[in-house]
mmCIF file of all heavy atoms in Angstrom:
data_model
loop_
_atom_site.group_PDB
_atom_site.id
_atom_site.type_symbol
_atom_site.label_atom_id
_atom_site.label_comp_id
_atom_site.label_asym_id
_atom_site.label_seq_id
_atom_site.Cartn_x
_atom_site.Cartn_y
_atom_site.Cartn_z
ATOM 1 N N LEU A 1 11.470 18.344 -10.021
ATOM 2 C CA LEU A 1 11.836 16.951 -10.200
ATOM 3 C C LEU A 1 11.233 16.480 -11.464
ATOM 4 O O LEU A 1 10.060 16.505 -11.644
ATOM 5 C CB LEU A 1 11.259 16.093 -9.031
ATOM 6 C CG LEU A 1 11.726 16.506 -7.638
ATOM 7 C CD1 LEU A 1 11.033 15.598 -6.567
ATOM 8 C CD2 LEU A 1 13.230 16.424 -7.463
ATOM 9 N N LEU A 2 12.102 16.073 -12.421
ATOM 10 C CA LEU A 2 11.637 15.664 -13.724
ATOM 11 C C LEU A 2 11.854 14.189 -13.964
ATOM 12 O O LEU A 2 13.013 13.702 -13.907
ATOM 13 C CB LEU A 2 12.423 16.497 -14.778
ATOM 14 C CG LEU A 2 12.107 16.148 -16.261
ATOM 15 C CD1 LEU A 2 10.607 16.367 -16.587
ATOM 16 C CD2 LEU A 2 13.002 16.938 -17.179
ATOM 17 N N PHE A 3 10.782 13.507 -14.189
ATOM 18 C CA PHE A 3 10.793 12.043 -14.472
ATOM 19 C C PHE A 3 10.579 11.905 -15.920
ATOM 20 O O PHE A 3 9.437 12.075 -16.397
ATOM 21 C CB PHE A 3 9.765 11.298 -13.672
ATOM 22 C CG PHE A 3 9.841 11.552 -12.167
ATOM 23 C CD1 PHE A 3 9.296 12.648 -11.540
ATOM 24 C CD2 PHE A 3 10.537 10.614 -11.327
ATOM 25 C CE1 PHE A 3 9.394 12.860 -10.171
ATOM 26 C CE2 PHE A 3 10.599 10.786 -9.979
ATOM 27 C CZ PHE A 3 10.042 11.939 -9.405
ATOM 28 N N VAL A 4 11.617 11.530 -16.685
ATOM 29 C CA VAL A 4 11.498 11.507 -18.166
ATOM 30 C C VAL A 4 11.169 10.065 -18.622
ATOM 31 O O VAL A 4 11.617 9.087 -18.015
ATOM 32 C CB VAL A 4 12.755 12.067 -18.844
ATOM 33 C CG1 VAL A 4 12.907 13.527 -18.655
ATOM 34 C CG2 VAL A 4 13.976 11.281 -18.387
ATOM 35 N N ASP A 5 10.405 9.995 -19.665
ATOM 36 C CA ASP A 5 9.996 8.719 -20.221
ATOM 37 C C ASP A 5 10.765 8.400 -21.493
ATOM 38 O O ASP A 5 11.432 9.337 -22.041
ATOM 39 C CB ASP A 5 8.492 8.814 -20.578
ATOM 40 C CG ASP A 5 7.743 7.445 -20.664
ATOM 41 O OD1 ASP A 5 8.441 6.437 -20.619
ATOM 42 O OD2 ASP A 5 6.491 7.513 -20.792
ATOM 43 N N GLY A 6 10.820 7.150 -21.929
ATOM 44 C CA GLY A 6 11.385 6.823 -23.191
ATOM 45 C C GLY A 6 12.883 6.925 -23.299
ATOM 46 O O GLY A 6 13.447 7.003 -24.403
ATOM 47 N N GLU A 7 13.606 6.915 -22.204
ATOM 48 C CA GLU A 7 15.064 7.010 -22.196
ATOM 49 C C GLU A 7 15.648 5.739 -22.857
ATOM 50 O O GLU A 7 16.616 5.806 -23.623
ATOM 51 C CB GLU A 7 15.596 7.195 -20.787
ATOM 52 C CG GLU A 7 17.100 7.431 -20.711
ATOM 53 C CD GLU A 7 17.954 6.131 -20.529
ATOM 54 O OE1 GLU A 7 17.315 5.071 -20.404
ATOM 55 O OE2 GLU A 7 19.189 6.264 -20.574
ATOM 56 N N ASP A 8 15.088 4.621 -22.572
ATOM 57 C CA ASP A 8 15.694 3.335 -22.860
ATOM 58 C C ASP A 8 15.024 2.524 -23.953
ATOM 59 O O ASP A 8 15.216 1.317 -24.056
ATOM 60 C CB ASP A 8 15.826 2.520 -21.556
ATOM 61 C CG ASP A 8 17.139 1.877 -21.416
ATOM 62 O OD1 ASP A 8 17.978 2.026 -22.266
ATOM 63 O OD2 ASP A 8 17.357 1.188 -20.352
ATOM 64 N N TYR A 9 14.111 3.208 -24.750
ATOM 65 C CA TYR A 9 13.331 2.370 -25.695
ATOM 66 C C TYR A 9 14.234 1.736 -26.729
ATOM 67 O O TYR A 9 14.275 0.483 -26.803
ATOM 68 C CB TYR A 9 12.252 3.276 -26.394
ATOM 69 C CG TYR A 9 11.135 2.439 -26.942
ATOM 70 C CD1 TYR A 9 10.031 2.164 -26.174
ATOM 71 C CD2 TYR A 9 11.179 1.947 -28.258
ATOM 72 C CE1 TYR A 9 8.963 1.387 -26.643
ATOM 73 C CE2 TYR A 9 10.168 1.173 -28.726
ATOM 74 C CZ TYR A 9 9.072 0.914 -27.966
ATOM 75 O OH TYR A 9 8.030 0.113 -28.438
ATOM 76 N N GLY A 10 14.881 2.468 -27.520
ATOM 77 C CA GLY A 10 15.909 1.894 -28.451
ATOM 78 C C GLY A 10 15.361 1.091 -29.605
ATOM 79 O O GLY A 10 14.170 1.219 -29.989
ATOM 80 N N PRO A 11 16.203 0.204 -30.198
ATOM 81 C CA PRO A 11 17.553 -0.149 -29.656
ATOM 82 C C PRO A 11 18.687 0.843 -29.964
ATOM 83 O O PRO A 11 19.723 0.753 -29.471
ATOM 84 C CB PRO A 11 17.823 -1.504 -30.300
ATOM 85 C CG PRO A 11 17.079 -1.436 -31.630
ATOM 86 C CD PRO A 11 15.840 -0.609 -31.358
ATOM 87 N N THR A 12 18.402 1.768 -30.925
ATOM 88 C CA THR A 12 19.510 2.676 -31.336
ATOM 89 C C THR A 12 19.241 4.108 -30.731
ATOM 90 O O THR A 12 18.141 4.387 -30.270
ATOM 91 C CB THR A 12 19.533 2.818 -32.863
ATOM 92 O OG1 THR A 12 18.346 3.466 -33.299
ATOM 93 C CG2 THR A 12 19.642 1.448 -33.527
ATOM 94 N N PRO A 13 20.280 4.924 -30.717
ATOM 95 C CA PRO A 13 20.115 6.261 -30.140
ATOM 96 C C PRO A 13 19.006 7.090 -30.716
ATOM 97 O O PRO A 13 18.444 7.943 -30.070
ATOM 98 C CB PRO A 13 21.486 6.926 -30.335
ATOM 99 C CG PRO A 13 22.460 5.747 -30.385
ATOM 100 C CD PRO A 13 21.674 4.629 -31.054
ATOM 101 N N ALA A 14 18.626 6.777 -31.963
ATOM 102 C CA ALA A 14 17.577 7.576 -32.621
ATOM 103 C C ALA A 14 16.198 7.397 -31.852
ATOM 104 O O ALA A 14 15.371 8.317 -31.931
ATOM 105 C CB ALA A 14 17.335 7.150 -34.041
ATOM 106 N N ASP A 15 16.074 6.311 -31.126
ATOM 107 C CA ASP A 15 14.834 6.008 -30.428
ATOM 108 C C ASP A 15 15.067 5.894 -28.921
ATOM 109 O O ASP A 15 14.423 5.110 -28.226
ATOM 110 C CB ASP A 15 14.212 4.745 -30.982
ATOM 111 C CG ASP A 15 13.958 4.871 -32.456
ATOM 112 O OD1 ASP A 15 13.128 5.741 -32.845
ATOM 113 O OD2 ASP A 15 14.562 4.114 -33.240
ATOM 114 N N MET A 16 15.971 6.679 -28.422
ATOM 115 C CA MET A 16 16.309 6.773 -27.020
ATOM 116 C C MET A 16 16.374 8.208 -26.501
ATOM 117 O O MET A 16 16.280 9.137 -27.299
ATOM 118 C CB MET A 16 17.640 6.041 -26.697
ATOM 119 C CG MET A 16 17.672 4.570 -27.013
ATOM 120 S SD MET A 16 19.283 3.752 -26.823
ATOM 121 C CE MET A 16 19.511 3.939 -25.041
ATOM 122 N N LEU A 17 16.367 8.428 -25.211
ATOM 123 C CA LEU A 17 16.441 9.764 -24.610
ATOM 124 C C LEU A 17 15.201 10.562 -25.029
ATOM 125 O O LEU A 17 15.280 11.798 -25.160
ATOM 126 C CB LEU A 17 17.760 10.495 -24.974
ATOM 127 C CG LEU A 17 19.028 9.725 -24.933
ATOM 128 C CD1 LEU A 17 20.178 10.665 -25.271
ATOM 129 C CD2 LEU A 17 19.235 9.106 -23.510
ATOM 130 N N LEU A 18 14.095 9.909 -25.300
ATOM 131 C CA LEU A 18 12.936 10.601 -25.938
ATOM 132 C C LEU A 18 12.282 11.674 -25.055
ATOM 133 O O LEU A 18 11.960 12.732 -25.532
ATOM 134 C CB LEU A 18 11.909 9.554 -26.340
ATOM 135 C CG LEU A 18 12.458 8.441 -27.307
ATOM 136 C CD1 LEU A 18 11.370 7.411 -27.600
ATOM 137 C CD2 LEU A 18 12.959 9.084 -28.595
ATOM 138 N N GLY A 19 12.145 11.353 -23.779
ATOM 139 C CA GLY A 19 11.572 12.363 -22.881
ATOM 140 C C GLY A 19 12.467 13.529 -22.650
ATOM 141 O O GLY A 19 12.020 14.672 -22.591
ATOM 142 N N ALA A 20 13.779 13.289 -22.556
ATOM 143 C CA ALA A 20 14.721 14.374 -22.361
ATOM 144 C C ALA A 20 14.779 15.254 -23.608
ATOM 145 O O ALA A 20 14.844 16.453 -23.551
ATOM 146 C CB ALA A 20 16.106 13.824 -22.062
ATOM 147 N N LYS A 21 14.703 14.670 -24.802
ATOM 148 C CA LYS A 21 14.715 15.424 -26.050
ATOM 149 C C LYS A 21 13.442 16.266 -26.105
ATOM 150 O O LYS A 21 13.463 17.409 -26.527
ATOM 151 C CB LYS A 21 14.742 14.470 -27.254
ATOM 152 C CG LYS A 21 16.100 13.747 -27.402
ATOM 153 C CD LYS A 21 16.057 12.725 -28.474
ATOM 154 C CE LYS A 21 17.391 11.990 -28.695
ATOM 155 N NZ LYS A 21 17.280 10.894 -29.736
ATOM 156 N N HIS A 22 12.293 15.676 -25.734
ATOM 157 C CA HIS A 22 11.045 16.438 -25.743
ATOM 158 C C HIS A 22 11.100 17.625 -24.793
ATOM 159 O O HIS A 22 10.721 18.750 -25.146
ATOM 160 C CB HIS A 22 9.872 15.557 -25.411
ATOM 161 C CG HIS A 22 8.561 16.260 -25.459
ATOM 162 N ND1 HIS A 22 7.929 16.528 -26.643
ATOM 163 C CD2 HIS A 22 7.777 16.799 -24.429
ATOM 164 C CE1 HIS A 22 6.748 17.175 -26.341
ATOM 165 N NE2 HIS A 22 6.690 17.363 -25.077
ATOM 166 N N PHE A 23 11.610 17.368 -23.610
ATOM 167 C CA PHE A 23 11.732 18.481 -22.664
ATOM 168 C C PHE A 23 12.627 19.581 -23.127
ATOM 169 O O PHE A 23 12.348 20.772 -23.065
ATOM 170 C CB PHE A 23 12.253 17.937 -21.316
ATOM 171 C CG PHE A 23 12.495 19.007 -20.266
ATOM 172 C CD1 PHE A 23 11.457 19.569 -19.545
ATOM 173 C CD2 PHE A 23 13.796 19.431 -20.004
ATOM 174 C CE1 PHE A 23 11.701 20.544 -18.565
ATOM 175 C CE2 PHE A 23 14.057 20.438 -19.044
ATOM 176 C CZ PHE A 23 12.972 20.967 -18.330
ATOM 177 N N ALA A 24 13.797 19.178 -23.732
ATOM 178 C CA ALA A 24 14.793 20.160 -24.225
ATOM 179 C C ALA A 24 14.162 20.971 -25.325
ATOM 180 O O ALA A 24 14.470 22.232 -25.419
ATOM 181 C CB ALA A 24 15.999 19.441 -24.656
ATOM 182 N N ARG A 25 13.352 20.374 -26.175
ATOM 183 C CA ARG A 25 12.751 21.084 -27.279
ATOM 184 C C ARG A 25 11.683 22.082 -26.828
ATOM 185 O O ARG A 25 11.416 23.121 -27.471
ATOM 186 C CB ARG A 25 12.072 20.100 -28.276
ATOM 187 C CG ARG A 25 13.012 19.416 -29.194
ATOM 188 C CD ARG A 25 12.263 18.745 -30.352
ATOM 189 N NE ARG A 25 11.191 17.868 -29.866
ATOM 190 C CZ ARG A 25 11.273 16.578 -29.648
ATOM 191 N NH1 ARG A 25 12.453 15.990 -29.805
ATOM 192 N NH2 ARG A 25 10.204 15.844 -29.271
ATOM 193 N N THR A 26 10.992 21.771 -25.749
ATOM 194 C CA THR A 26 9.757 22.495 -25.384
ATOM 195 C C THR A 26 9.868 23.379 -24.146
ATOM 196 O O THR A 26 8.993 24.178 -23.925
ATOM 197 C CB THR A 26 8.621 21.525 -25.190
ATOM 198 O OG1 THR A 26 8.938 20.573 -24.114
ATOM 199 C CG2 THR A 26 8.274 20.745 -26.475
ATOM 200 N N VAL A 27 10.895 23.309 -23.313
ATOM 201 C CA VAL A 27 11.031 24.112 -22.129
ATOM 202 C C VAL A 27 11.138 25.572 -22.479
ATOM 203 O O VAL A 27 12.005 25.875 -23.339
ATOM 204 C CB VAL A 27 12.201 23.628 -21.222
ATOM 205 C CG1 VAL A 27 13.496 23.741 -21.934
ATOM 206 C CG2 VAL A 27 12.195 24.382 -19.876
ATOM 207 N N PRO A 28 10.277 26.402 -21.974
ATOM 208 C CA PRO A 28 10.416 27.841 -22.290
ATOM 209 C C PRO A 28 11.749 28.450 -21.900
ATOM 210 O O PRO A 28 12.250 28.056 -20.828
ATOM 211 C CB PRO A 28 9.247 28.481 -21.509
ATOM 212 C CG PRO A 28 8.351 27.378 -21.233
ATOM 213 C CD PRO A 28 9.158 26.147 -21.076
ATOM 214 N N ARG A 29 12.276 29.278 -22.691
ATOM 215 C CA ARG A 29 13.617 29.883 -22.370
ATOM 216 C C ARG A 29 13.585 30.664 -21.096
ATOM 217 O O ARG A 29 14.643 30.781 -20.385
ATOM 218 C CB ARG A 29 14.072 30.763 -23.572
ATOM 219 C CG ARG A 29 15.490 31.277 -23.464
ATOM 220 C CD ARG A 29 15.954 31.781 -24.767
ATOM 221 N NE ARG A 29 16.186 30.699 -25.701
ATOM 222 C CZ ARG A 29 17.309 29.970 -25.744
ATOM 223 N NH1 ARG A 29 18.250 30.192 -24.864
ATOM 224 N NH2 ARG A 29 17.421 28.982 -26.605
ATOM 225 N N ASP A 30 12.427 31.246 -20.773
ATOM 226 C CA ASP A 30 12.355 32.065 -19.543
ATOM 227 C C ASP A 30 11.925 31.238 -18.330
ATOM 228 O O ASP A 30 11.673 31.798 -17.230
ATOM 229 C CB ASP A 30 11.394 33.207 -19.713
ATOM 230 C CG ASP A 30 9.934 32.765 -20.002
ATOM 231 O OD1 ASP A 30 9.745 31.528 -20.191
ATOM 232 O OD2 ASP A 30 9.055 33.609 -20.060
ATOM 233 N N ASP A 31 11.902 29.908 -18.427
ATOM 234 C CA ASP A 31 11.474 29.047 -17.348
ATOM 235 C C ASP A 31 12.538 27.918 -17.149
ATOM 236 O O ASP A 31 12.157 26.778 -16.754
ATOM 237 C CB ASP A 31 10.114 28.440 -17.587
ATOM 238 C CG ASP A 31 9.505 27.827 -16.326
ATOM 239 O OD1 ASP A 31 9.828 28.299 -15.236
ATOM 240 O OD2 ASP A 31 8.733 26.884 -16.517
ATOM 241 N N ARG A 32 13.803 28.253 -17.403
ATOM 242 C CA ARG A 32 14.809 27.227 -17.326
ATOM 243 C C ARG A 32 15.470 27.195 -15.922
ATOM 244 O O ARG A 32 15.594 28.276 -15.286
ATOM 245 C CB ARG A 32 15.881 27.473 -18.371
ATOM 246 C CG ARG A 32 15.381 27.251 -19.780
ATOM 247 C CD ARG A 32 16.480 27.349 -20.811
ATOM 248 N NE ARG A 32 15.999 26.956 -22.109
ATOM 249 C CZ ARG A 32 16.776 26.758 -23.155
ATOM 250 N NH1 ARG A 32 18.113 26.930 -23.056
ATOM 251 N NH2 ARG A 32 16.280 26.383 -24.359
ATOM 252 N N PRO A 33 15.926 26.053 -15.467
ATOM 253 C CA PRO A 33 16.570 25.950 -14.143
ATOM 254 C C PRO A 33 17.987 26.533 -14.186
ATOM 255 O O PRO A 33 18.542 26.762 -15.273
ATOM 256 C CB PRO A 33 16.601 24.464 -13.882
ATOM 257 C CG PRO A 33 16.684 23.831 -15.232
ATOM 258 C CD PRO A 33 15.852 24.729 -16.132
ATOM 259 N N LEU A 34 18.513 26.761 -13.007
ATOM 260 C CA LEU A 34 19.908 27.190 -12.847
ATOM 261 C C LEU A 34 20.829 26.143 -13.546
ATOM 262 O O LEU A 34 21.755 26.501 -14.252
ATOM 263 C CB LEU A 34 20.225 27.375 -11.412
ATOM 264 C CG LEU A 34 21.529 28.027 -11.011
ATOM 265 C CD1 LEU A 34 21.519 29.472 -11.420
ATOM 266 C CD2 LEU A 34 21.706 27.918 -9.466
ATOM 267 N N TYR A 35 20.574 24.868 -13.193
ATOM 268 C CA TYR A 35 21.316 23.749 -13.766
ATOM 269 C C TYR A 35 20.586 22.476 -13.409
ATOM 270 O O TYR A 35 19.608 22.517 -12.698
ATOM 271 C CB TYR A 35 22.782 23.732 -13.331
ATOM 272 C CG TYR A 35 22.980 23.527 -11.818
ATOM 273 C CD1 TYR A 35 23.069 22.178 -11.317
ATOM 274 C CD2 TYR A 35 23.183 24.578 -10.964
ATOM 275 C CE1 TYR A 35 23.286 22.000 -9.965
ATOM 276 C CE2 TYR A 35 23.408 24.370 -9.636
ATOM 277 C CZ TYR A 35 23.463 23.067 -9.143
ATOM 278 O OH TYR A 35 23.682 22.883 -7.774
ATOM 279 N N GLY A 36 21.060 21.402 -13.966
ATOM 280 C CA GLY A 36 20.373 20.091 -13.767
ATOM 281 C C GLY A 36 21.334 19.034 -13.306
ATOM 282 O O GLY A 36 22.520 19.084 -13.609
ATOM 283 N N VAL A 37 20.757 18.088 -12.561
ATOM 284 C CA VAL A 37 21.540 16.893 -12.136
ATOM 285 C C VAL A 37 20.706 15.672 -12.473
ATOM 286 O O VAL A 37 19.518 15.517 -12.006
ATOM 287 C CB VAL A 37 21.845 16.916 -10.595
ATOM 288 C CG1 VAL A 37 22.574 15.627 -10.217
ATOM 289 C CG2 VAL A 37 22.638 18.153 -10.255
ATOM 290 N N LEU A 38 21.233 14.787 -13.300
ATOM 291 C CA LEU A 38 20.547 13.512 -13.651
ATOM 292 C C LEU A 38 21.178 12.451 -12.773
ATOM 293 O O LEU A 38 22.358 12.421 -12.517
ATOM 294 C CB LEU A 38 20.888 13.233 -15.120
ATOM 295 C CG LEU A 38 20.561 11.835 -15.669
ATOM 296 C CD1 LEU A 38 19.057 11.544 -15.636
ATOM 297 C CD2 LEU A 38 21.131 11.645 -17.053
ATOM 298 N N VAL A 39 20.286 11.529 -12.277
ATOM 299 C CA VAL A 39 20.722 10.375 -11.582
ATOM 300 C C VAL A 39 20.250 9.099 -12.333
ATOM 301 O O VAL A 39 19.057 9.007 -12.612
ATOM 302 C CB VAL A 39 20.224 10.350 -10.057
ATOM 303 C CG1 VAL A 39 21.043 11.339 -9.291
ATOM 304 C CG2 VAL A 39 18.788 10.639 -9.951
ATOM 305 N N ASP A 40 21.144 8.212 -12.586
ATOM 306 C CA ASP A 40 20.846 7.023 -13.359
ATOM 307 C C ASP A 40 21.778 5.907 -12.929
ATOM 308 O O ASP A 40 22.979 6.156 -12.739
ATOM 309 C CB ASP A 40 21.004 7.340 -14.867
ATOM 310 C CG ASP A 40 20.436 6.275 -15.827
ATOM 311 O OD1 ASP A 40 19.758 5.368 -15.281
ATOM 312 O OD2 ASP A 40 20.722 6.377 -17.033
#
């Protein structure tokens, strides 16, 4: 269960989705899930 921060900071896309971007950059390649489901 991943609770990401900074999704909605904004006001432009450059300063949004920040937690998801950080997770995507740093998740080890050998520790990735089968797939993901986002609820919003």
Side-chain angles (χ1 to χ4, degrees):
L1 302 180
L2 177 61
F3 304 83
V4 292
D5 204 351
E7 186 267 356
D8 225 358
Y9 201 89
T12 67
D15 301 299
M16 297 175 65
L17 316 182
L18 301 176
K21 291 174 182 176
H22 180 79
F23 176 79
R25 285 195 305 267
T26 59
V27 60
R29 186 164 292 276
D30 61 354
D31 194 31
R32 294 185 171 190
L34 190 66
Y35 63 88
V37 178
L38 168 66
V39 287
D40 192 8

